[in-house]
Amino acid sequence: MDAIAMSAPIIQNVTILGATGTIGLHTLDVIARHPDRFRAYALTANTNVDVLFEQCRKFEPVYAVMLDERAADSLKTKLQIAGLVTEVLFGMDALEFVSAHLDVHAVMAAIVGAAGLKPAIAAAESGKRILLANKETLVMSGSLFMQAVEKGGATLLPIDSEHNAIFQVMPQQKFATLKSGGIKKILITASGGPFRKATDDELSAVTVKQALNHPNWVMGPKITVDSATLMNKGLEVIEAHWLFNAAPEQIEVVVHPQSVIHSMVEYVDGSVLAQLGNPDMRTPIAYALGYPERIESGVSSLDLFKIARLDFEEPDTVRFPCLRLAFDALKKGGTAPAILNAANEIAVEAFLNGKIGFMGIPRIIESVLSDATISLASSLSTVIEADKLARKAAKEWMLTYSC
C-alpha cells in the first residue's frame, strides 16, 4: 500500500493570473483534460465577476482574486449564495500572494499589460514554474525579471506561440547563449494581421471592428490591435532578446500569413529548424504545463495537404512603424522598452474607445519615445516611474494633437 501511495503522481497546483482572458480560458481547458495532473488552485480576474464565478463553480479553486474591490465583493456574495467555499481576495497584494503561495507549483502569468508585472516577479522570486504569457513583464523589466528568475531558482517557460516554438527547437541547454548552442539567428514569424496588404489610405480609415477581426488567432482586444499594428511582434522581439540572450541583429521578423510555422531557429551550419502546428494557444500551454513531457492539448492535427502552401514576406516597417519603434527601443535599452509599452497601452486604449485613428497609435508612441528621458532600468521603482511618466505624456499628446 505504501509503495502504491509513493508512486502516485503529485497533482500540480496552478495559479492562473488572468483566468477570464483568452489564455486563461485555454489553460483551464487543458487543465480540465488532465484532472489527475493539475488543479486550478487560484484564479484571478480584473472585473469579470460572472465568468470567474462560473470558473469557481466548475474548478473549485482555493482562492479567487479580483483586482477591483467592488468586483471582489460581488463575487464573494455570489459564491456564498451558491454554497462555494472559495476564498475571495482583491488587489495587487492578493495577486502577489497567490503567485508566491507555498502550495502553488506553477503560475500562468496571463494578465495583459503592466498590471501583470508585480505578480510575475513574485512568482519568480518564489521559485515557481512560470508560464509566461504576459509580454510586459519582459518588455518593461527584462533584466530585473531574469535576475529574479535566476535568484529564485524559478523555471521560466514562454507561452507566446513564437517564443514557445523557439524554445522547442533550441538545444537542450535552454536559455543558453545562442553562440553556445551553435545558433546564428532567431526568426520570429508574424501573420501580418488583417491589414497586411492595406494601402496607406485604407490604414488611415481602419475601424475598431476591422482591427479586431484577426485572420488566424482568437485573442483579447488589446493584443489583437497590437497584432494589427505589428506592435505585438515588436514586443516579442524585445521578449526574445531577454529569453534567449539574443542581440537585436540576431532577431529577424518574417511575415508568414498562414501562421502554421510559429517560429524558426537558424544554426551556423545552415540548418533551419521550425515548429509547426495549427494556430491554437493550447499547444504551447500544454507544452509548458507538461514540460518536459508532452501531454494532450485538445488541438486537432495539422493537415499539411489542406494547407498546401506556406508563404513568407518581409515586414513593411514604413506602413507598420510600430515594429521599427520596438527595435529602436530595444537598441536604446534602459527604460526605453517600458516607455514604448506604456505609450502603446494608452494609444491602443484610446483607439478602442474611438478617441484616435488607427495610425494615431504609432504617432503617439514615436512622439513619447522621442521626448522621453531614458534611464537605466536599475530597479522596479525606476521602471514603474518611467511607465507612469510615459502614460502621462501619451495622454497629454492626445490633448494637443489630432490623430
Side-chain angles (χ1 to χ4, degrees):
M1 189 64 139
D2 289 341
I4 294 174
M6 287 178 65
S7 64
I10 298 174
I11 293 180
Q12 302 284 304
N13 289 327
V14 182
T15 285
I16 303 178
L17 302 170
T20 61
T22 304
I23 296 296
L25 295 174
H26 285 325
T27 303
L28 286 170
D29 180 85
V30 175
I31 285 175
R33 296 171 188 275
H34 302 277
D36 58 328
R37 297 188 59 142
F38 308 108
R39 179 192 180 189
Y41 188 83
L43 303 176
T44 86
N46 184 15
T47 59
N48 199 334
V49 173
D50 292 339
V51 173
L52 194 60
F53 169 71
E54 291 301 327
Q55 290 176 342
C56 288
R57 182 150 60 180
K58 180 177 181 179
F59 292 95
E60 299 182 354
V62 175
Y63 295 104
V65 180
M66 305 294 297
L67 194 56
D68 180 80
E69 184 175 4
R70 286 187 180 181
D73 289 339
S74 177
L75 177 63
K76 187 175 183 179
T77 299
K78 289 171 73 76
L79 290 173
Q80 288 175 340
I81 292 172
L84 298 172
V85 297
T86 295
E87 184 176 350
V88 179
L89 307 172
F90 78 90
M92 183 59 67
D93 288 347
L95 291 177
E96 294 182 55
F97 170 74
V98 296
S99 299
H101 198 287
L102 286 175
D103 292 337
V104 170
H105 300 95
V107 175
M108 169 58 78
I111 295 176
V112 176
L117 177 59
K118 286 187 175 181
I121 289 180
E125 292 174 341
S126 303
K128 306 301 182 188
R129 170 182 289 218
I130 305 168
L131 285 58
L132 188 64
N134 170 276
K135 298 178 185 299
E136 291 76 16
T137 296
L138 284 172
V139 172
M140 291 179 65
S141 59
S143 177
L144 295 171
F145 181 69
M146 295 305 287
Q147 288 173 21
V149 168
E150 184 175 358
K151 186 175 179 181
T155 300
L156 180 58
L157 297 164
I159 296 300
D160 267 349
S161 61
E162 295 80 4
H163 302 106
N164 191 270
I166 294 164
F167 186 90
Q168 291 193 46
V169 299
M170 281 186 74
Q172 287 303 304
Q173 61 267 34
K174 307 299 184 183
F175 303 116
T177 63
L178 270 64
K179 185 176 180 181
S180 68
I183 297 171
K184 183 177 181 180
K185 188 188 298 183
I186 287 171
L187 300 146
I188 301 177
T189 56
S191 70
F195 312 122
R196 180 170 56 90
K197 294 186 178 295
T199 64
D200 290 345
D201 289 341
E202 288 170 335
L203 288 172
S204 297
V206 164
T207 66
V208 172
K209 183 178 180 180
Q210 289 172 326
L212 293 178
N213 186 26
H214 195 280
N216 299 338
W217 296 95
V218 177
M219 305 173 289
K222 195 267 182 183
I223 193 171
T224 304
V225 173
D226 281 350
S227 181
T229 65
L230 290 195
M231 177 56 85
N232 189 49
K233 212 50 49 179
L235 298 179
E236 288 173 5
V237 166
I238 298 172
E239 284 184 279
H241 163 71
W242 292 111
L243 284 169
F244 306 112
N245 245 335
E249 58 272 16
Q250 293 176 298
I251 306 170
E252 183 176 341
V253 174
V254 179
V255 175
H256 167 52
Q258 290 88 358
S259 293
V260 170
I261 295 178
H262 298 301
S263 275
M264 298 169 275
V265 172
E266 179 183 349
Y267 286 81
V268 293
D269 62 1
S271 298
V272 177
L273 302 186
Q275 186 264 339
L276 286 72
N278 283 318
D280 191 317
M281 288 306 298
R282 290 177 297 175
T283 295
I285 290 168
Y287 179 83
L289 278 172
Y291 181 81
E293 296 179 52
R294 299 270 182 173
I295 62 174
E296 195 271 329
S297 66
V299 178
S300 58
S301 296
L302 181 64
D303 188 342
L304 291 172
F305 300 108
K306 184 177 180 181
I307 294 164
R309 58 180 287 173
L310 301 173
D311 297 308
F312 305 95
E313 304 168 8
E314 288 187 26
D316 187 336
T317 56
V318 175
R319 287 188 303 129
F320 298 97
C322 285
L323 180 57
R324 169 180 58 80
L325 293 171
F327 268 105
D328 290 346
L330 176 58
K331 291 172 184 176
K332 288 180 180 179
T335 55
I339 293 166
L340 171 97
N341 176 74
N344 180 62
E345 286 193 20
I346 294 300
V348 170
E349 182 182 12
F351 169 71
L352 288 170
N353 291 330
K355 295 179 180 179
I356 65 171
F358 183 73
M359 294 309 295
I361 296 173
R363 291 191 195 107
I364 291 172
I365 298 166
E366 186 156 27
S367 175
V368 172
L369 196 57
S370 298
D371 295 342
T373 300
I374 311 299
S375 59
L376 291 174
S378 55
S379 67
L380 191 56
S381 60
T382 301
V383 171
I384 292 173
E385 180 64 16
D387 173 89
K388 178 182 175 182
L389 291 175
R391 290 172 189 275
K392 181 182 178 182
K395 291 175 182 177
E396 290 175 348
W397 195 94
M398 286 189 292
L399 294 174
T400 306
Y401 298 95
S402 173
C403 55

